[in-house]
């Protein structure tokens, strides 16, 4: 189900059921394994839990500032999404991935005679024989712009899937704007500065991640270390199985799971737009030897023609720009090229100050 000559790996869910040892193309380099793929350091301080309903209060805004300065991510509660919607979204995700492979392939991102598509069910694009793969499968769906939604790729089972996802996405969009306005106020910019960078062509993407158990979590990663490329990522995680880790000062820390909270992290566009005052965190996902894990990441970006540059209100003679200008579409190309190499593209855009 791909163009001739394209390297198409098996679905990880099938591999996990058929083998005890992960195939060599999933095994991380020895240097990375020696540093440790599972163990995390003891937290120097907790990742803040932000009450979204109180962000207009000075103390809650201060907590958000501290979270952005130290971690680049935070947990949120009182975010406006009912527990029932979060339960329904996670339940629909689990039902989809537990279907027979033939049913899931009806949403495949690989269609006979056509090049690789991001949209749909599958796994990452393989561009070389020596590319090290991640231990997970995914379902990638476009949410925004609305006229670019490809419902042919959306699951029809469970029947509630589309309705639940659309309702959930309408809420995450509201959360996005609340967070962006709060960050603008913290930086003493016009409250709508970052929201106004989002045109009606700006992308909103949902990625459902399924991490099968792996009997050798010391050898593989569910998702390689990286930082995101858009504005914000809003993450709904499995409350029963951890796995998300964030890097700080070269050390890895477990991101805690709390029922009915969301994890929100800054992405690369926002790092450039706030001139590096708040950075996009490097993070990864480790595997579990006994349990499957699910998550839903909603990525929000800007229109591909948007020029990424620091907000003018953050620049003056004493605060020059720390990043080169470029269009978002060029940033995305560089981002994926560096992601496969395990490096951060945004580091190449920095200007020596």
């Amino acid at each position: 189900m791909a163009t001739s000559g394209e390297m198409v790996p098996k679905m990880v869910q099938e591999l996990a059921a058929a083998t005890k040892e992960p195939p060599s193309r999933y095994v991380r380099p020895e240097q990375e394994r020696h540093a440790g793929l599972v163990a995390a350091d003891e937290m120097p301080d907790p990742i803040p839990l932000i009450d979204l309903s109180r962000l207009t209060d000075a103390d809650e805004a201060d907590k958000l500032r501290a979270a952005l300065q130290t971690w680049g991510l935070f947990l949120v509660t009182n975010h406006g999404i009912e527990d029932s919607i979060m339960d329904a979204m996670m339940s629909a995700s689990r039902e989809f991935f537990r279907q027979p492979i033939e049913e899931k392939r009806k949403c495949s991102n690989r269609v006979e005679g056509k090049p690789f598509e991001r949209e749909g069910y599958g796994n990452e694009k393989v561009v070389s024989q020596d590319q090290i793969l991640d231990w997970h499968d995914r379902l990638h769906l476009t949410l925004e712009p609305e006229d670019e939604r490809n419902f042919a790729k959306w699951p029809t089972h469970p029947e509630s899937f589309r309705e639940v996802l659309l309702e959930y996405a309408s809420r995450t969009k509201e959360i996005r704007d609340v967070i962006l306005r709060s960050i603008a106020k913290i930086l003493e910019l016009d409250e709508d500065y970052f929201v106004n960078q989002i045109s009606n062509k700006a992308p909103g993407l949902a990625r459902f991640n399924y991490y099968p158990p792996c009997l050798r979590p010391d050898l593989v990663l569910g998702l390689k270390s990286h930082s995101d490329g858009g504005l914000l990522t809003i993450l709904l995680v499995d409350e029963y199985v951890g796995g998300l880790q964030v890097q700080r000062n070269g050390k890895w820390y477990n991101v805690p799971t709390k029922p009915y909270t969301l994890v929100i992290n800054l992405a690369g566009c926002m790092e450039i737009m706030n001139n590096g005052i708040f950075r996009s965190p490097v993070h990864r996902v480790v595997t579990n030897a006994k349990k499957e894990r699910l998550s839903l990441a909603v990525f929000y970006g800007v229109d591909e023609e948007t020029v990424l540059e620091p907000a003018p209100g953050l620049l003056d003679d004493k605060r020059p720009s720390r990043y080169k200008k470029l269009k978002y579409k060029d940033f995305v190309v560089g981002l994926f090229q560096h992601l496969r190499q395990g490096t951060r593209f945004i580091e190449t855009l920095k200007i020596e100050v």
Side-chain angles (χ1 to χ4, degrees):
M1 298 177 67
T3 55
S4 177
E6 183 184 341
M7 294 168 281
V8 182
K10 288 189 72 170
M11 301 309 297
V12 177
Q13 194 170 3
E14 292 181 285
L15 289 174
T19 181
K20 293 183 178 179
E21 288 286 325
S24 59
R25 69 186 315 175
Y26 291 87
V27 176
R28 305 305 301 175
E30 184 176 353
Q31 181 179 1
E32 193 174 355
R33 285 184 278 129
H34 180 73
L37 293 183
V38 180
D41 285 277
E42 185 177 346
M43 282 274 189
D45 48 81
I47 295 175
L49 175 64
I50 306 298
D51 184 338
L52 218 61
S53 68
R54 295 184 56 242
L55 266 180
T56 53
D57 296 350
D59 58 341
E60 208 66 21
D62 287 343
K63 279 175 61 178
L64 176 59
R65 176 192 288 273
L68 295 171
Q69 288 177 328
T70 54
W71 294 105
L73 58 72
F74 48 94
L75 309 180
V76 295
T77 186
N78 291 329
H79 40 62
I81 305 180
E82 292 90 338
D83 295 354
S84 59
I85 294 177
M86 299 177 80
D87 285 338
M89 191 73 268
M90 192 59 76
S91 176
S93 307
R94 205 176 300 276
E95 278 194 57
F96 171 77
F97 283 108
R98 287 183 175 175
Q99 292 181 104
I101 187 69
E102 294 77 15
E103 288 299 312
K104 290 181 291 211
R105 280 187 174 144
K106 292 177 180 178
C107 303
S108 179
N109 62 358
R110 288 180 167 90
V111 179
E112 189 68 42
K114 293 185 178 181
F116 173 88
E117 297 178 3
R118 177 175 57 183
E119 185 101 0
Y121 166 70
N123 40 38
E124 60 190 303
K125 184 177 183 180
V126 181
V127 296
S128 67
Q129 290 285 1
D130 59 355
Q131 181 178 334
I132 300 175
L133 305 180
D134 294 330
W135 193 259
H136 82 279
D137 300 327
R138 62 182 68 170
L139 172 65
H140 211 139
L141 303 174
T142 296
L143 299 172
E144 304 283 341
E146 290 186 17
D147 60 2
E148 292 183 17
R149 292 172 180 166
N150 182 3
F151 287 123
K153 299 290 187 182
W154 289 44
T156 56
H157 180 83
E159 292 183 1
S160 61
F161 189 97
R162 183 191 296 194
E163 180 183 356
V164 173
L165 178 54
L166 291 175
E167 180 62 32
Y168 179 82
S170 71
R171 307 299 184 87
T172 59
K173 191 173 179 180
E174 294 173 1
I175 293 170
R176 175 200 67 185
D177 292 350
V178 169
I179 296 295
L180 292 178
R181 288 190 174 101
S182 297
I183 294 174
K185 290 173 69 175
I186 288 171
L187 295 172
E188 299 181 355
L189 297 171
D190 180 275
E191 183 179 34
D192 288 324
Y193 178 79
F194 295 121
V195 172
N196 287 342
Q197 307 306 307
I198 304 171
S199 74
N200 59 6
K201 294 182 179 180
L205 306 169
R207 192 176 75 198
F208 297 82
N209 304 298
Y210 177 80
Y211 302 93
C214 179
L215 294 176
R216 295 298 307 274
D218 57 315
L219 297 181
V220 307
L221 282 173
L223 186 60
K224 66 177 70 65
S225 63
H226 67 287
S227 56
D228 297 341
L231 288 169
L232 288 178
T233 302
I234 300 176
L235 185 66
L236 173 62
V237 298
D238 195 320
E239 65 182 83
Y240 302 108
V241 185
L244 178 63
Q245 294 185 337
V246 62
Q247 191 178 63
R248 175 174 162 185
N249 298 328
K251 296 181 179 181
W252 290 103
Y253 301 97
N254 291 323
V255 177
T257 59
K258 295 181 182 293
Y260 305 114
T261 63
L262 298 169
V263 180
I264 299 182
N265 68 266
L266 288 192
C269 290
M270 273 298 291
E271 179 174 331
I272 294 173
M273 289 179 177
N274 74 65
N275 205 28
I277 296 171
F278 305 136
R279 299 190 66 192
S280 172
V282 175
H283 51 286
R284 68 182 185 182
V285 176
V286 300
T287 57
N288 188 290
K290 297 180 179 180
K291 299 178 180 179
E292 67 181 13
R293 179 178 180 271
L294 286 165
S295 69
L296 166 57
V298 179
F299 305 96
Y300 287 109
V302 294
D303 177 8
E304 64 176 14
E305 295 296 331
T306 297
V307 175
L308 301 180
E309 59 184 326
L314 299 176
L315 303 178
D316 54 36
D317 291 342
K318 295 181 180 180
R319 300 180 298 172
S321 175
R322 297 176 181 173
Y323 300 89
K324 301 171 186 174
K325 292 182 184 181
L326 79 167
K327 288 187 176 181
Y328 181 57
K329 63 181 179 182
D330 299 321
F331 180 74
V332 170
V333 171
L335 184 79
F336 281 105
Q337 289 174 343
H338 280 256
L339 175 63
R340 298 186 188 104
Q341 300 165 11
T343 54
R344 286 184 91 225
F345 176 55
I346 200 167
E347 296 296 329
T348 70
L349 301 176
K350 289 187 175 179
I351 299 171
E352 289 291 335
V353 177

